[in-house]
């Protein structure tokens, strides 16, 4: 699970849909048949396999672009291949920043703190009058030709702020934090070729005060280098029986990278372990739908692997993908608080139900007599698929555990029972689409029981 900056979360416009709704899912004539099909998959699930995968993967951190990631990638590739799946490793570039120096001067004097360059900022030195433009809403900005914009963090994304200033002619951006604690930085996107630097709230507010009465000339001096590294996605395809091929694709994903500081047993070796276990089982089960098992790299750096993969899909492939099931942090003993079903929840990017949540909710009722609610969160690899119009959700336990993104995210916090539950629900859901007895899935009408499940505004952390 990716920790997003506050600005970016707000920029997503988290408008919560209200109340609960009912999933009108077609009833099958014989509900027992659905359970019989579930059993073809769920009876074969072995929690020890998943636990052992996590044990191996969490021996070391797996930060994108490191040896640890590559070791995990080779392990996952070998597992998929051992199941007889057509497997590819998809490399993609990621960039680290090496900071040589970043200097901010006000009227020729260095500020009394260490400023941070925006990620992706160009290296350049500019000296120009400073203009306070608030949070950089476009309607509040006048002409900035030849000026450096002083911006407060918050409400809109970093790149929007930079673009709004650029559009009015700014030659640099100096952004101050919107809270007095926490980290401060930002990011620019390709083509935003002005130096951009972040400073603390205290210094920012001093400048705002100063600008009320006098002119201020600022110098931004940024000297940073981009270092290219390689991260990877691992993609395994289970092909349908040639005589019974609907031409459709269903995807099952997790991310194999971890944060640099922790071994990522739950985040997200747990999701990978379920992907591998379902791949093992389904590779021996006839299907009429291609099942694509993917583990993504560089999720923790902002969903880079899944965006790279989604962008690499051909125009012809996208409409064939019926669903993307993402699993992120699905095995922690300590996650979920006092919520029912261990805190198991499904999140969609737009807070609306879709085929994935319908299938997941129906499977949980069939198999475990449990209700799973759904909520609205991005922050994982379901996001790029949603943006392509593919029904998608991330399955997790919320609220997240205390060990999230810490060195303590270790194997001893993993619950085999939680892994088992998640594998059953996802395995049964995927098999509803992929089993050869169903007619080709056109719309969200394959789940076998009428279930109701509710929107829940449950925060993730
Ligand atoms: Zn994470």
């Amino acid at each position: 699970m990716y920790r997003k900056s506050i600005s970016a979360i707000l920029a997503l416009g988290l408008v919560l849909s209200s109340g609960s709704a009912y999933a009108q899912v077609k009833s099958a004539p014989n509900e027992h048949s659905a359970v019989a099909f579930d059993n073809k998959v769920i009876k074969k699930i072995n929690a020890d396999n998943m636990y052992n995968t996590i044990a191996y993967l969490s021996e070391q951190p797996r930060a994108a672009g490191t040896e640890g990631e590559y070791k995990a990638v080779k392990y996952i590739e070998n597992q998929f291949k051992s199941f007889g799946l057509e497997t590819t490793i998809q490399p993609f570039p990621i960039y680290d920043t090496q900071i040589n120096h970043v200097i901010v001067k006000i009227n020729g004097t260095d500020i009394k703190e260490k400023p941070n360059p925006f990620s992706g900022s160009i290296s350049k030195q500019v000296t120009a009058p400073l203009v306070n433009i608030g949070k950089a809403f476009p309607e509040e900005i006048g002409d900035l030709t030849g000026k450096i914009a002083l911006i407060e963090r918050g409400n809109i994304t970093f790149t929007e702020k930079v673009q709004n200033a650029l559009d009015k002619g700014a030659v640099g951006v100096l952004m101050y934090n919107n809270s007095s604690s926490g980290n401060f930085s930002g990011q620019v996107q390709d083509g935003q070729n002005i130096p951009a630097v972040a400073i603390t709230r205290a210094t920012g507010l001093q400048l705002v005060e100063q600008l009320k009465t006098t002119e201020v000339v600022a110098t931004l001096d940024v000297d940073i280098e981009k270092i290219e590294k390689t991260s990877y996605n691992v993609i395994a395809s289970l092909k349908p029986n040639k005589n019974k091929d609907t031409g459709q694709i269903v995807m099952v994903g997790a991310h194999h990278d971890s944060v640099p500081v922790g071994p990522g047993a739950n985040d997200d070796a747990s999701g990978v372990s379920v992907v591998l276990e379902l791949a093992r089982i389904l590779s021996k089960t006839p299907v009429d739908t291609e099942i694509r098992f993917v583990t993504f790299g560089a999720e923790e750096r902002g969903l880079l692997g899944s965006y790279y993969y989604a962008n690499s899909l051909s125009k012809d492939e996208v409409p064939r993908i019926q669903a993307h099931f993402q699993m992120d942090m699905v095995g922690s003993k300590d996650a979920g608080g006092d919520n029912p079903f261990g805190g198991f929840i499904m999140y969609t990017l737009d807070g609306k139900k879709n085929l994935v949540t319908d299938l997941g909710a129906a499977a949980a009722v069939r198999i475990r007599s449990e209700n799973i609610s759904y909520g609205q969160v991005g922050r994982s690899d379901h996001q790029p698929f949603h943006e392509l119009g593919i029904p998608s959700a991330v399955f997790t336990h919320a609220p997240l555990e205390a060990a999230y993104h810490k060195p303590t995210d270790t194997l001893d916090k993993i619950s085999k029972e939680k892994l088992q539950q998640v594998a059953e629900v996802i395995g049964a859901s995927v098999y509803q689409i992929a089993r050869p007895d169903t007619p080709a899935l056109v719309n969200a009408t394959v789940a076998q029981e009428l279930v109701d499940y509710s929107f829940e505004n449950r925060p993730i952390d």
Side-chain angles (χ1 to χ4, degrees), residues 209-286:
E209 278 309 305
Q210 234 175 310
L211 282 166
K212 285 179 183 165
T213 54
T214 172
E215 281 210 346
V216 173
V217 172
T219 298
L220 307 181
D221 181 3
V222 177
D223 183 357
I224 56 184
E225 276 171 61
K226 248 184 174 183
I227 312 241
E228 184 174 320
K229 293 183 177 174
T230 304
S231 182
Y232 306 89
N233 297 320
V234 190
I235 304 136
S237 168
L238 172 62
K239 300 288 190 218
N241 184 318
K242 282 208 170 59
N243 305 322
K244 269 206 165 219
D245 181 359
T246 60
Q248 297 178 337
I249 303 166
V250 56
M251 294 193 44
V252 184
H255 72 89
H256 58 245
D257 67 311
S258 70
V259 291
V261 297
N266 193 42
D267 187 8
D268 181 26
S270 64
V272 173
S273 78
V274 181
V275 170
L276 289 177
E277 182 61 0
L278 294 180
R280 182 186 71 81
I281 294 164
L282 289 163
S283 62
K284 294 174 191 68
T285 312

Side-chain angles (χ1 to χ4, degrees), residues 1-3 255 257-259 267-268 299-300 328-329 379 400 404-405 409:
M1 190 75 61
Y2 158 52
R3 187 188 294 280
H255 72 89
D257 67 311
S258 70
V259 291
D267 187 8
D268 181 26
E299 189 267 358
E300 300 291 3
D328 199 348
M329 310 181 69
R379 289 177 57 175
L400 300 182
Y404 169 61
H405 282 188
D409 180 6

Side-chain angles (χ1 to χ4, degrees), residues 348-351 354 381-392:
T348 60
L349 188 63
D350 59 3
N354 60 37
D381 297 314
H382 58 309
Q383 188 168 316
F385 299 96
H386 173 95
E387 288 170 1
L388 287 174
I390 296 166
S392 58

Side-chain angles (χ1 to χ4, degrees), residues 151-165:
I151 300 176
E152 183 178 4
R153 180 176 174 174
N155 294 63
I156 57 174
T157 64
F158 300 129
T159 55
E160 285 173 306
K161 287 174 189 287
V162 172
Q163 193 59 46
N164 294 343

